[in-house]
Amino acid sequence: MVGADGMLAVIDYKAGNLTSVVKALNYLGARDVVVTQSPEVVLAADKVVLPGVGHFRATELLGELGLTEAVRESIAKGAWFLGICVGLQWLFEGSTEADETAGLGEFAGRCERFPEVYAGVELKSPHVGWNSLEGVREGSRLLRGVKDGGFVYFTHSWRAPAVQATAAVTNYGGAFTAAVERENVMGVQFHPEKSAEVGLRVLGNFVEL
């Protein structure tokens, strides 16, 4: 893997909570944080963060700007990658929120909307507010120091399935992927920049990689 002290690129595709994420990264001591739409900058970075709020279709801009291929190359050369919210969903094959929009396909499966009814009870959507992380994977680098039951902040209507690379789940209308991690590719469905102590721990772990 590449070094821990190099540039950290935060991708701007007009769908991310950039200000809060960058503020949190700077607070945690990240060096050389650059907000960018440039594939060249992404390829030069040692770490890449893809924030995201809103509609999955917004990720189409990543392809139009050449950032999808830049992220693929970045991951292949060993840079650390973290997707947040829609950024995590983009790591999968796609989402029923925008059937025609392809995800990166790093993980198998598609994101789906929460069911309207679960266990015979109406389920409110979007899933907004604090909920707990369960089944935190032992040895996870992203979730180091995070215990089962730690609360984080969510706001989303679509969710990623639980897969082999899932590092923690959250239960709401069934279990879904709250965090995913395989080698240098990571993602969280929750917003760590809004998740108080646990969120800062997660972002801090990423910064320290």
Side-chain angles (χ1 to χ4, degrees), residues 94-123:
S95 172
T96 60
E97 186 175 23
D99 282 320
E100 71 285 359
T101 303
L104 187 67
E106 186 73 22
F107 303 112
R110 294 174 63 80
C111 301
E112 296 185 348
R113 190 178 178 90
F114 286 104
E116 294 182 2
V117 177
Y118 180 74
V121 178
E122 182 180 355
L123 189 70

Side-chain angles (χ1 to χ4, degrees), residues 33-45:
V33 177
V34 178
V35 177
T36 186
Q37 292 186 333
S38 166
E40 291 76 21
V41 172
V42 169
L43 284 168

Side-chain angles (χ1 to χ4, degrees), residues 131-140 143-152 166-171 178-179 198 201-202:
N131 207 336
S132 60
L133 298 175
E134 306 294 341
V136 175
R137 185 203 300 164
E138 185 176 351
S140 165
L143 303 180
R144 179 173 53 85
V146 175
K147 298 179 180 179
D148 276 7
F151 277 83
V152 289
T166 295
V169 298
T170 290
N171 289 290
V198 175
R201 161 69 76 166
V202 171

